[in-house]
Amino acid sequence: MGLLDSLLNPASVAIIGASPNPHVIRGQLLLLLRKNGFAGRIVPVNPSHAEIDGIPCFPTIAAGGGGDVALVAIPAAAVLPALEECAAAGVKHAVIISSGFAEDDAAPPDLQDRVAGLARRTGMRVLGPNAEGFHNEVARVSATFSPAVDRDADDNPTAVHARIGIVAQLYNRGRALGLSFSTVVSTGNEADLTAADLLAHMVGDPDTACILVFLEAIRDVAAFAAAARQAAAAGKPIVAIKVGRSAAGQIAAASHTASMAGWDAGYDAFFRHHGIVVASELDEALTIAAALVSNPRAKGGRVAVLTISGGAGAWSADMLDAEGLTLPELGAATQAEIRSFIPSYGTARNPIDLTAGGAQGGGTLRAIELLTRDPAIDQIICVTTLANPARVTLDGPALRALLAERRKPVLFYSYTLPSPLGRQTLAEAGAVICPSMATLACAARALQHPAPPPALPPPLALPEAMRTRLSGPAGTLPEHEAKALLAACGVAMAPARMVTQRAGLAAAAAALDFPLAVKIQSAAIAHKTEVGGVRLGIADMPALKAAYDTVLANGARHRPGAAIDGVLLERMAAPGVEMIIGAIRDPTFGPIVSVGAGGVMTELFRDVAYALAPLDEAAAITLIGTLRSAKLLQGWRGAPAADMAALARLVSLVSRIAAAGQATISELELNPVIVHPAGPGSSDGGCTVVDALLAVSPAQIKGA
Amino acid sequence: MGLLDSLLNPASVAIIGASPNPHVIRGQLLLLLRKNGFAGRIVPVNPSHAEIDGIPCFPTIAAGGGGDVALVAIPAAAVLPALEECAAAGVKHAVIISSGFAEDDAAPPDLQDRVAGLARRTGMRVLGPNAEGFHNEVARVSATFSPAVDRDADDNPTAVHARIGIVAQLYNRGRALGLSFSTVVSTGNEADLTAADLLAHMVGDPDTACILVFLEAIRDVAAFAAAARQAAAAGKPIVAIKVGRSAAGQIAAASHTASMAGWDAGYDAFFRHHGIVVASELDEALTIAAALVSNPRAKGGRVAVLTISGGAGAWSADMLDAEGLTLPELGAATQAEIRSFIPSYGTARNPIDLTAGGAQGGGTLRAIELLTRDPAIDQIICVTTLANPARVTLDGPALRALLAERRKPVLFYSYTLPSPLGRQTLAEAGAVICPSMATLACAARALQHPAPPPALPPPLALPEAMRTRLSGPAGTLPEHEAKALLAACGVAMAPARMVTQRAGLAAAAAALDFPLAVKIQSAAIAHKTEVGGVRLGIADMPALKAAYDTVLANGARHRPGAAIDGVLLERMAAPGVEMIIGAIRDPTFGPIVSVGAGGVMTELFRDVAYALAPLDEAAAITLIGTLRSAKLLQGWRGAPAADMAALARLVSLVSRIAAAGQATISELELNPVIVHPAGPGSSDGGCTVVDALLAVSPAQIKGA
């Protein structure tokens, strides 16, 4: 029996401050617990009452004999003493519904910490505070005041019997879709039990087929990751709604990588790594969960749309196209067979317009049957109208038999609001009617098999020079120093010379050959271009001398008194595709590597992809493939293809450096990286790291 | 009385082939017409029956005495003779529900045209064929077989009494939101009456406050535009769902502009011009229409979110942010006042978390009242839970009185499914509960005042040289010829020389000065770079001679036998922001001008905006401002601002050339255009047109 079974499936439930008044939360708790059929012992605790609605009421929790779970909805100031009494009486779990803790600026700052401390000290586990409680649909335990879980008021036909667990408050929206639930839990402030604990419980719960989480933050990354890995191994999909994106704002940082990362980087990388599906809207999350629990996974994104209206077909095609799904034209044999049972004014291309007449007499079912056998189609989308009872032409049991073969996903949408008969017919077949075409399209995308979690490359042994510098003082390293350290780690760098005296220019130029780039070097100048500290395309010695003088003069003018290390001379890079590679240390998820389009595209179009570091070359190739600018690397408009393999090797190496040095590397950025053409008729390929930035800063240990 | 009043509000309705069988469409028509309370005369026509359900039935339409409207749902082959009889009997309008016309590949190709011809010849106007008919909610005329309009089955509380007209089939989804409707019409194949006709009718209909159209195509642009202008003048918003975007595919074309345009260009430009709001989803369109008819317009996009849950607040902020709305922090005075009536664990920042306790006792109403008086806020978004009858803390009549002042838009969303009491309370207040946060965010964006339609610049008189060439042979002009013609139209061009003999290089170079660009010129070579026909950054005479030889050799190798006009020499352009300006001749909307980010960004990120041509400089500035790359022009990351005014002048000039030459200019593209820095400390600004393309091809007159 899991840790949380005695919380979520208790033999007895105490209600601290239980009340006969149904208009206060303490009264609603008792009411809903009884109404929804809790079969265990109920222990109302309130010295003002001898009994409530026929149940004996006790002056103290001890007098009531304790209980597996105590529900606490009394004022915040009274919570701690009540918890002490509960723990002393042997209560196993407390659900704190009361507000007035960490979310409250006026609350005593340590109040929630003291709740957490009490949980650790006594072993009594705590859900909340500031939680809505939970509802266990299987065991009929409603430990919540939310009437969304009122079973009496639920007249929705059940379409799907595979149960979904929810760490959120989406019960009645899900019931409206005909879904089944196992446990619905609100974790509140997570003083003790976190979303990760509930996730782990649900992964282990045989009644739960899929888990839906609404997250404001992941408080316990290691536990959440472990539960996500178990879920993947158990084949239980996780769908997450994460809020707080726009609030992230700009971070003050040296690199573009860090200033752009905001919310998305860490969570995007984490969700991608664990194959967690991200939704932005409640109905979208529920539709995805519904599709996942009622269908097999799809081999890919090639969909066939079955409809009875040309307009609906064209519109569906647009919505599916927007989610990256494709509508291939059907093969000649399939088309011919469909045409045999539809009127001439229908069409057997894709979208397939059966017409109202063609859908009657079992046409829809025949078409679904045919399409499940067509190897060129991965998913079937049925867009129809279920408002008219006379037009509900589907035979529920026959459809159920067909869907039970689970050969391919079949999704349904009604552009009119479905009638009760329409809902009942589809529910009989075990199929969900998606609430909108947009959510259907998201579900079709999510039905594709997730990529397996990437293999971790072996740990990187940082060279001595890097280790020494990383244990040195905090600060942003000048380019020449960052490049030297990265070169020691195995990053190939273009030939370069540091020049500290004007007299050294000629020898450096002779060693490098023109045309050259000239760049001032100073720990005080992070953005060299902005102070006029860079000159490019220098073609000869007179121009080189002039450039040297200019960048030093500009540096002195913009940063008077700054210590200047010298001037870096480099051969101008050969042409290629401009990219950016970066790494940040996310406060929640640790080292995150990124790769994106370079130059102005970096920030303007945010074409950047993030992954947990480290990752191997194969995973880097996959990551690069998610960029819109991947087309540039593949050879855009007749340009030669760039050396994708070299770029992937470099992304992987940067991720391994960031991971190995995560204790003190706070930012790492190669920007731009020029990826040179590779392949027949091209030069040797490879990448040139034009500029590099390394920021050293000891990690803040969370909670320390 | 408008043209369509006798169609949509007839005194008599005939049903050709009327049947007592409710399972065929001809039977359903009679049933719904009666059930929904049609008060006029019904004329069933069917020689097989003497009466149907107590109504006399006639052997012919003539015997029945004709009728204002005849409903036709008989097989396609029988439709024309029936229409002839109707016209002869004085029927004013026919509604053809039958399929088997232009949408049917197997139908006689001219069948639909013959229907249109009959309409023109007899003056009997025709809706359809292949239409679902119409439903007039005000006059109680249901001339359709769609049970979506069954009034008996409608138990939805009405929230909004201002009526929406629909050219589509969205009736029951809209009723579920508590909306009121005037007329719902399906126009089918539009053999005679088009969406534009219905739009014009609804604009003139005093019972219609807002019009919602579902479009597969606009068949009559001039009429649609005229109706849209009347709607704007009458203050009646139009919301459009346009389908068929993804189906557009690639057009074979010489310019990037034309190959990218696809569906979006023309419709985007047309909708933008007329202030028509575009929606992609049914519920989104209905929510926008609902918000528009139940609220005043907003001054801008600064929203305040009122909620009772921190998580809901953060999530709402994300969704609103994604639609470009902002959540400014509230002023100190407003915050202090809100804090006075909410618990300490709430927050008076934005999103405002009133908490469940704070919302009770009228807190939500007080906060709305306060925010309607805060000049820093344009719209109020109330995100709450309406599932729990005990938590519906809003007072319907008090909220109605507040909203009736129409000071600012107030939008509502319930993250739980609203209970009947919740829906009733909001309906009493005249407020709609948006079906999702995503649709609410779209509605909030749409509530902002649309920009007034841009003023048309005066017509451009094309110079003699351009007029002569445009009346010449079709073809894509080589760069030098296109540039010369554009220069004659007033487009400033960089100094250039055509060289046709190697001996002429020195004189041309002396006139232009190095560094130079060298480009092969031939009508047979549209994409010079792809054949190695361009060399850039030529620094001296030896390099120039080598470049000259190379581009000619490459041209001869890739296009053997092509006529080469010569080699164009131009001074290399000064630095600046790379943009693209184009114009196409859209088959539906005529000349469309576009402006977008240049280089690889053009196609990779599709950062291009379209407008109907011609447009003036002010409208061009607005258009450029919609681009993500507008930031580059404004001075990105410390770079100097570019000469936006010069770019806008050039966009306007290109639009006027395209408009003046629309009879034969099929494509026009300036790509790239370098926009130079302007302002203090910068050079003189202006734009350099690096390359230009002009395709001459006579316009296909539609229907000719």
Side-chain angles (χ1 to χ4, degrees):
Chain A
M1 202 151 116
L3 159 74
L4 296 185
D5 282 331
S6 58
L7 167 64
L8 300 173
N9 188 8
S12 54
V13 173
I15 301 169
I16 310 300
S19 164
N21 179 357
H23 299 297
V24 301
I25 286 176
R26 292 170 290 125
Q28 287 160 11
L29 289 171
L30 180 59
L31 209 66
L32 262 174
L33 190 60
R34 299 186 72 185
K35 192 173 176 187
N36 279 349
F38 178 57
R41 191 168 72 95
I42 301 179
V43 185
V45 177
N46 193 333
S48 308
H49 300 278
E51 59 98 31
I52 297 175
D53 290 337
I55 305 181
C57 186
F58 303 92
T60 64
I61 180 75
D68 281 351
V69 170
L71 308 183
V72 181
I74 58 182
V79 166
L80 266 174
L83 292 181
E84 292 286 4
E85 288 179 34
C86 286
V91 168
K92 291 180 192 159
H93 304 278
V95 177
I96 310 180
I97 287 163
S98 318
S99 300
F101 293 83
E103 86 287 1
D104 183 351
D105 291 339
D110 64 342
L111 191 57
Q112 183 163 318
D113 290 343
R114 288 166 66 196
V115 171
L118 184 147
R120 276 194 301 272
R121 173 164 51 81
T122 63
M124 180 177 75
R125 301 306 299 264
V126 169
L127 183 70
N130 192 29
E132 286 214 3
F134 69 86
H135 167 79
N136 183 334
E137 181 97 352
V138 180
R140 298 195 160 216
V141 189
S142 291
T144 174
F145 58 99
S146 167
V149 299
D150 186 342
R151 290 165 56 99
D152 281 0
D154 181 355
D155 58 356
N156 297 291
T158 296
V160 178
H161 293 273
R163 292 178 187 271
I164 299 167
I166 313 188
V167 187
Q169 301 153 23
L170 293 170
Y171 182 84
N172 65 350
R173 285 192 174 267
R175 281 301 301 145
L177 295 181
L179 306 183
S180 297
F181 294 97
S182 52
T183 312
V184 182
V185 186
S186 150
T187 55
N189 292 5
E190 304 192 354
D192 177 26
L193 292 171
T194 65
D197 294 316
L198 275 304
L199 194 64
H201 172 81
M202 290 180 185
V203 170
D205 172 19
D207 283 321
T208 299
C210 168
I211 302 151
L212 207 159
V213 274
F214 186 93
L215 291 167
E216 285 183 64
I218 295 181
R219 289 184 171 82
D220 186 347
V221 174
F224 201 102
R229 276 190 294 269
Q230 287 161 15
K236 291 192 187 183
I238 300 173
V239 182
I241 303 178
K242 170 70 181 72
V243 305
R245 287 164 188 257
S246 64
Q250 289 295 93
I251 301 167
S255 63
H256 297 292
T257 303
S259 65
M260 275 196 308
W263 173 92
D264 302 70
Y267 281 93
D268 275 3
F270 183 82
F271 290 147
R272 182 200 303 274
H273 185 89
H274 290 290
I276 294 172
V277 185
V278 181
S280 60
E281 172 72 87
L282 307 182
D283 281 338
E284 180 187 328
L286 285 164
T287 309
I288 292 170
L292 287 167
V293 296
S294 59
N295 283 284
R297 289 293 179 121
K299 286 217 182 79
R302 301 169 305 170
V303 301
V305 172
L306 277 176
T307 182
I308 57 168
S309 141
W315 174 57
S316 310
D318 292 346
M319 302 295 284
L320 292 161
D321 180 77
E323 291 295 329
L325 299 148
T326 58
L327 280 81
E329 193 173 329
L330 299 182
T334 307
Q335 286 200 41
E337 202 151 355
I338 291 175
R339 271 199 304 273
S340 75
F341 57 83
I342 65 172
S344 58
Y345 52 89
T347 169
R349 297 160 78 97
N350 191 6
I352 302 151
D353 183 1
L354 298 173
T355 76
Q360 254 146 9
T364 306
L365 211 63
R366 283 182 70 179
I368 294 174
E369 165 85 38
L370 256 175
L371 291 166
T372 58
R373 301 187 190 283
D374 185 332
I377 294 298
D378 301 316
Q379 303 191 46
I380 301 158
I381 314 288
C382 188
V383 176
T384 184
T385 168
L386 295 167
N388 185 343
R391 275 202 188 179
V392 177
T393 54
L394 283 162
D395 172 341
L399 181 58
R400 162 171 287 278
L402 182 53
L403 297 181
E405 298 177 23
R406 293 177 67 82
R407 281 180 280 169
K408 282 174 194 173
V410 187
L411 299 177
F412 294 86
Y413 174 66
S414 169
Y415 48 82
T416 51
L417 270 193
S419 63
L421 176 66
R423 296 183 63 206
Q424 189 61 51
T425 304
L426 272 284
E428 277 169 21
V432 171
I433 305 170
C434 297
S436 70
M437 256 319 289
T439 61
L440 183 151
C442 291
R445 191 193 50 194
L447 276 168
Q448 297 170 68
H449 273 289
L456 287 189
L460 183 77
L462 292 178
E464 175 65 25
M466 181 65 108
R467 279 187 284 125
T468 305
R469 180 59 192 91
L470 292 183
S471 58
T476 301
L477 277 53
E479 175 187 0
H480 69 101
E481 200 180 339
K483 281 186 167 173
L485 291 171
L486 290 169
C489 293
V491 177
M493 290 292 174
R497 289 287 184 283
M498 266 293 274
V499 178
T500 52
Q501 297 191 322
R502 203 166 190 271
L505 286 173
L512 295 170
D513 205 358
F514 292 103
L516 292 174
V518 172
K519 301 184 270 189
I520 197 166
Q521 300 291 306
S522 165
I525 301 175
H527 298 295
K528 299 179 285 286
T529 308
E530 290 175 14
V531 302
V534 177
R535 286 294 178 273
L536 301 177
I538 304 299
D540 51 31
M541 272 312 294
L544 178 59
K545 287 176 184 164
Y548 180 88
D549 296 342
T550 304
V551 299
L552 286 177
N554 283 344
R557 185 156 53 88
H558 284 89
R559 298 280 186 280
I564 306 294
D565 296 350
V567 171
L568 189 68
L569 268 52
E570 277 181 354
R571 184 79 204 277
M572 287 294 289
V577 178
E578 201 174 316
M579 303 292 288
I580 177 172
I581 300 175
I584 54 161
R585 189 175 58 212
D586 185 271
T588 304
F589 299 101
I592 306 285
V593 67
S594 68
V595 56
V600 295
M601 289 185 283
T602 306
E603 288 177 70
L604 212 52
F605 298 103
R606 303 253 158 169
D607 189 25
V608 183
Y610 300 95
L612 300 186
L615 84 178
D616 65 9
E617 287 173 37
I621 291 270
T622 305
L623 189 70
I624 295 164
T626 66
L627 296 171
R628 280 174 294 174
S629 41
K631 285 183 186 169
L632 287 180
L633 297 164
Q634 289 151 3
W636 178 250
R637 289 218 151 246
D643 193 342
M644 180 83 91
L647 177 64
R649 276 195 301 278
L650 187 51
V651 169
S652 174
L653 182 54
V654 167
S655 79
R656 295 170 70 203
I657 296 169
Q662 64 183 285
T664 51
I665 296 178
S666 61
E667 301 176 43
L668 176 54
E669 183 171 276
L670 316 188
N671 178 28
V673 172
I674 309 290
V675 190
H676 303 296
S682 294
S683 62
D684 288 344
C687 299
T688 301
V689 178
V690 174
D691 201 351
L693 179 152
L694 176 62
V696 174
S697 168
Q700 305 292 320
I701 305 301
K702 269 189 120 180
Chain B
M1 201 153 116
L3 160 72
L4 296 185
D5 282 329
S6 57
L7 167 64
L8 301 172
N9 188 8
S12 53
V13 173
I15 300 168
I16 309 302
S19 164
N21 179 357
H23 299 297
V24 300
I25 287 177
R26 292 170 290 123
Q28 286 160 11
L29 290 170
L30 179 60
L31 209 65
L32 262 174
L33 190 62
R34 298 184 74 183
K35 192 172 177 189
N36 280 348
F38 177 59
R41 191 168 73 95
I42 300 179
V43 186
V45 176
N46 193 335
S48 308
H49 300 279
E51 59 95 33
I52 298 175
D53 289 338
I55 305 181
C57 187
F58 302 92
T60 63
I61 180 73
D68 281 352
V69 171
L71 307 184
V72 181
I74 57 182
V79 166
L80 266 175
L83 292 180
E84 293 285 5
E85 287 178 34
C86 286
V91 169
K92 291 178 190 158
H93 305 278
V95 176
I96 309 180
I97 287 163
S98 319
S99 298
F101 292 83
E103 85 288 1
D104 184 349
D105 291 341
D110 64 341
L111 190 58
Q112 184 163 319
D113 290 344
R114 287 166 67 195
V115 170
L118 183 148
R120 276 194 301 274
R121 174 164 51 79
T122 63
M124 180 176 75
R125 300 308 298 264
V126 169
L127 183 70
N130 193 27
E132 286 213 2
F134 69 88
H135 167 78
N136 183 333
E137 182 95 353
V138 181
R140 302 195 158 215
V141 188
S142 291
T144 174
F145 59 99
S146 168
V149 300
D150 186 340
R151 290 165 58 99
D152 281 0
D154 181 356
D155 59 356
N156 297 290
T158 295
V160 178
H161 293 273
R163 293 177 186 270
I164 298 166
I166 312 187
V167 186
Q169 301 155 25
L170 293 170
Y171 182 83
N172 64 350
R173 285 192 175 267
R175 280 302 299 145
L177 295 181
L179 305 182
S180 297
F181 294 96
S182 51
T183 312
V184 181
V185 186
S186 150
T187 55
N189 292 5
E190 304 192 355
D192 176 27
L193 293 170
T194 65
D197 293 317
L198 276 304
L199 193 65
H201 172 79
M202 290 180 185
V203 170
D205 172 19
D207 284 321
T208 300
C210 169
I211 302 150
L212 208 161
V213 273
F214 185 95
L215 291 166
E216 287 183 65
I218 295 182
R219 290 184 170 83
D220 186 348
V221 174
F224 201 102
R229 277 190 293 271
Q230 287 160 16
K236 291 192 188 184
I238 301 172
V239 182
I241 303 177
K242 170 69 179 76
V243 305
R245 288 165 186 256
S246 64
Q250 287 296 92
I251 301 167
S255 63
H256 297 291
T257 303
S259 64
M260 276 196 307
W263 175 90
D264 303 68
Y267 280 93
D268 275 2
F270 183 81
F271 289 146
R272 181 199 304 274
H273 185 90
H274 289 290
I276 293 172
V277 184
V278 181
S280 60
E281 173 71 86
L282 307 183
D283 281 337
E284 179 188 328
L286 285 163
T287 309
I288 291 170
L292 287 166
V293 295
S294 60
N295 284 285
R297 288 293 179 118
K299 287 217 181 79
R302 299 168 307 170
V303 301
V305 172
L306 278 175
T307 180
I308 57 169
S309 142
W315 174 58
S316 310
D318 291 347
M319 301 296 284
L320 293 161
D321 180 78
E323 290 295 330
L325 299 148
T326 58
L327 279 80
E329 193 174 329
L330 299 182
T334 307
Q335 286 201 39
E337 202 151 354
I338 290 175
R339 273 198 303 271
S340 75
F341 58 82
I342 65 171
S344 58
Y345 52 88
T347 170
R349 298 159 78 97
N350 191 5
I352 302 151
D353 182 2
L354 298 172
T355 78
Q360 253 146 10
T364 307
L365 211 63
R366 284 182 70 178
I368 295 173
E369 166 84 37
L370 256 174
L371 291 166
T372 58
R373 300 187 189 284
D374 185 332
I377 294 298
D378 301 317
Q379 303 191 46
I380 301 158
I381 314 289
C382 189
V383 176
T384 185
T385 166
L386 294 167
N388 186 340
R391 276 201 186 180
V392 177
T393 55
L394 283 161
D395 173 342
L399 181 58
R400 162 170 287 279
L402 182 54
L403 297 181
E405 297 177 23
R406 292 178 66 83
R407 281 180 279 168
K408 283 175 193 170
V410 188
L411 299 178
F412 295 86
Y413 174 66
S414 169
Y415 47 83
T416 51
L417 271 194
S419 64
L421 177 67
R423 297 183 63 205
Q424 189 62 49
T425 304
L426 272 285
E428 276 169 23
V432 171
I433 305 169
C434 298
S436 71
M437 256 317 289
T439 60
L440 184 151
C442 291
R445 190 192 52 193
L447 276 168
Q448 297 170 67
H449 273 290
L456 288 189
L460 183 77
L462 291 177
E464 176 65 27
M466 181 66 108
R467 279 187 283 127
T468 304
R469 180 59 192 89
L470 292 183
S471 56
T476 301
L477 277 53
E479 175 187 0
H480 70 99
E481 198 180 340
K483 281 185 167 173
L485 291 171
L486 291 169
C489 293
V491 177
M493 290 292 174
R497 289 285 185 284
M498 268 292 274
V499 177
T500 52
Q501 297 191 323
R502 205 166 188 270
L505 286 172
L512 295 170
D513 205 357
F514 291 103
L516 291 175
V518 172
K519 301 183 270 189
I520 198 168
Q521 300 291 305
S522 164
I525 302 176
H527 299 295
K528 298 180 284 288
T529 308
E530 291 176 12
V531 301
V534 176
R535 285 294 177 271
L536 301 177
I538 304 299
D540 50 31
M541 272 310 296
L544 178 59
K545 285 176 185 163
Y548 180 88
D549 295 342
T550 304
V551 300
L552 286 177
N554 284 343
R557 184 157 53 89
H558 284 89
R559 298 281 186 279
I564 307 293
D565 295 350
V567 171
L568 188 68
L569 267 52
E570 275 181 354
R571 184 79 202 278
M572 286 295 289
V577 178
E578 202 173 313
M579 302 292 289
I580 177 173
I581 301 175
I584 54 160
R585 188 177 57 211
D586 185 271
T588 304
F589 298 101
I592 306 285
V593 68
S594 68
V595 57
V600 294
M601 290 186 283
T602 306
E603 287 176 73
L604 212 52
F605 298 102
R606 304 252 160 170
D607 189 26
V608 183
Y610 300 94
L612 300 186
L615 84 177
D616 65 10
E617 286 172 38
I621 291 271
T622 305
L623 189 69
I624 295 164
T626 66
L627 296 172
R628 281 175 294 176
S629 41
K631 286 183 185 170
L632 286 180
L633 297 163
Q634 288 150 6
W636 178 250
R637 291 221 148 243
D643 193 342
M644 180 84 91
L647 177 63
R649 275 195 301 277
L650 186 51
V651 169
S652 173
L653 182 53
V654 167
S655 80
R656 295 170 71 202
I657 295 169
Q662 63 183 285
T664 50
I665 295 178
S666 61
E667 300 175 44
L668 176 54
E669 183 171 273
L670 281 47
N671 179 28
V673 172
I674 309 290
V675 190
H676 303 295
S682 294
S683 62
D684 289 344
C687 299
T688 301
V689 178
V690 174
D691 201 352
L693 179 153
L694 177 62
V696 175
S697 167
Q700 303 293 319
I701 304 302
K702 270 188 115 180

